[in-house]
Amino acid sequence: MAVTMSQAATQRNEHEHNADPVKQGAAEAVKLTGVGLRYPDGAKQREVLRDINLHIAEGEFVCVLGASGSGKTSLLRMIAGYEQPAAGEISIFGQRHTGPNQRVGVVFQHANLFPWLNVRSNVEFGLKMQGISKETRREKAAYYIEQVGLSNAVKLLPHQLSGGMKQRVAIARTLVTDPNLILMDEPFAALDAITREALQSQVRELWLQTGKTAFFITHDVDEALFLAGRIIVMGGSPGSITTDLPNPLQHRIGGLSEIRSGKEYAMLREQLIQLLK
């Protein structure tokens, strides 16, 4: 019998509060210990995050849910190395994390493509900055462009692309540099429902193929249930992790509509909605 989220929560509470053990046999990709974050607010400082303890194993797909203002994006930015914690410590793959590095790739809500570069050149850009030869970067870019279904659009400029196509380019641009950890900050939030579901399926398939560690911010319960192996719920002010649960649906075969049709899906969805209230 599958473990429900409420049962899992009870089991988790028997362990250390606000922490998760690394998957058995897997190396540790991300570790946050007692992490806090503050932003300047006039003469004072505003506390944004407090006492974040989080362990993510290599190969996990973790989704973070929470209302606006709960600190989801701030947490991602610290893991990316764009923000430094006011308290606690962050380590990535066993090394103390103090700034951006090539092992961590980021996909934002907006693609932020270079408007003067075509699809291929946008995807190649990071490799070019690393000094990779033209032949090698063309080969790598072609592979990931094909993986995101844009082989027929390599010469198009960003203004010629739909929103979904731009996000596909952004995903390919991140993957081509071969990061070990991929951070995604609501990358499909601005897309229509059909495009969103298509890209969710594509990201799920890419994760299954590559085995990368993924950390995905979303406000969409359905998206989290379709993609994640673990679902973290954030809340409060300052933000903290209120719930950290396994998702028994992650390895179900089929698309989102098939997974949604099951009774277990409806039950888990309702539990998450209640946790977010």
Side-chain angles (χ1 to χ4, degrees), residues 211-259:
K212 303 282 187 185
T213 308
F215 186 84
F216 192 106
I217 302 292
T218 182
H219 63 269
D220 188 321
V221 170
D222 294 308
E223 187 166 67
L225 283 170
F226 182 56
L227 293 173
R230 277 170 64 198
I231 299 173
I232 291 169
V233 179
M234 294 188 67
S237 181
S240 63
I241 295 174
T242 60
T243 313
D244 184 347
L245 301 168
N247 176 18
L249 299 176
Q250 186 185 43
H251 293 289
R252 290 289 176 87
I253 297 172
L256 180 55
S257 59
E258 294 173 77
I259 294 173

Side-chain angles (χ1 to χ4, degrees), residues 164-186:
M165 293 171 76
K166 290 177 183 177
Q167 285 302 81
R168 290 173 196 263
V169 176
I171 292 168
R173 182 178 60 183
T174 298
L175 290 174
V176 77
T177 60
D178 198 27
N180 302 96
L181 170 64
I182 300 171
L183 311 177
M184 297 187 177
D185 188 7
E186 299 196 67

Side-chain angles (χ1 to χ4, degrees), residues 99-208:
N101 68 63
Q102 293 180 7
R103 301 191 73 180
V104 182
V106 186
V107 180
F108 294 103
Q109 183 173 340
H110 301 289
N112 296 323
L113 304 179
F114 297 111
W116 60 89
L117 298 180
N118 63 25
V119 167
R120 180 167 57 196
S121 296
N122 263 289
V123 174
E124 288 183 6
F125 185 80
L127 297 176
K128 187 175 182 179
M129 293 299 98
Q130 293 175 18
I132 304 299
S133 70
K134 183 176 181 179
E135 181 180 358
T136 299
R137 65 177 187 257
R138 281 287 167 95
E139 181 181 345
K140 288 188 172 185
Y143 173 78
Y144 283 105
I145 289 170
E146 181 181 4
Q147 291 299 303
V148 298
L150 290 177
S151 294
N152 294 326
V154 292
K155 295 184 179 180
L156 297 182
L157 293 168
H159 76 270
Q160 298 172 300
L161 306 176
S162 67
M165 293 171 76
K166 290 177 183 177
Q167 285 302 81
R168 290 173 196 263
V169 176
I171 292 168
R173 182 178 60 183
T174 298
L175 290 174
V176 77
T177 60
D178 198 27
N180 302 96
L181 170 64
I182 300 171
L183 311 177
M184 297 187 177
D185 188 7
E186 299 196 67
F188 312 140
L191 304 178
D192 63 87
I194 294 174
T195 303
R196 185 186 183 101
E197 288 192 13
L199 286 179
Q200 288 168 355
S201 295
Q202 194 159 46
V203 163
R204 188 172 186 255
E205 185 61 32
L206 286 169
W207 172 74
L208 289 170

Side-chain angles (χ1 to χ4, degrees), residues 31-40 45-50 52 73-92 95-101 104:
K31 181 179 180 181
L32 283 75
T33 307
V35 167
L37 180 66
R38 299 183 183 92
Y39 288 140
Q45 288 200 327
R46 177 170 56 91
E47 190 176 18
V48 179
L49 294 170
R50 177 185 292 173
I52 302 293
T73 295
S74 295
L75 178 59
L76 179 142
R77 289 181 60 83
M78 283 200 299
I79 296 174
Y82 301 150
E83 304 280 358
Q84 294 302 307
E89 187 172 300
I90 301 172
S91 63
I92 304 293
Q95 301 293 318
R96 187 173 181 182
H97 192 47
T98 58
N101 68 63
V104 182

Side-chain angles (χ1 to χ4, degrees), residues 261-272:
S261 65
K263 292 182 179 179
E264 188 176 24
Y265 184 95
M267 178 188 68
L268 297 174
R269 187 178 190 277
E270 179 60 26
Q271 288 179 351
L272 280 173

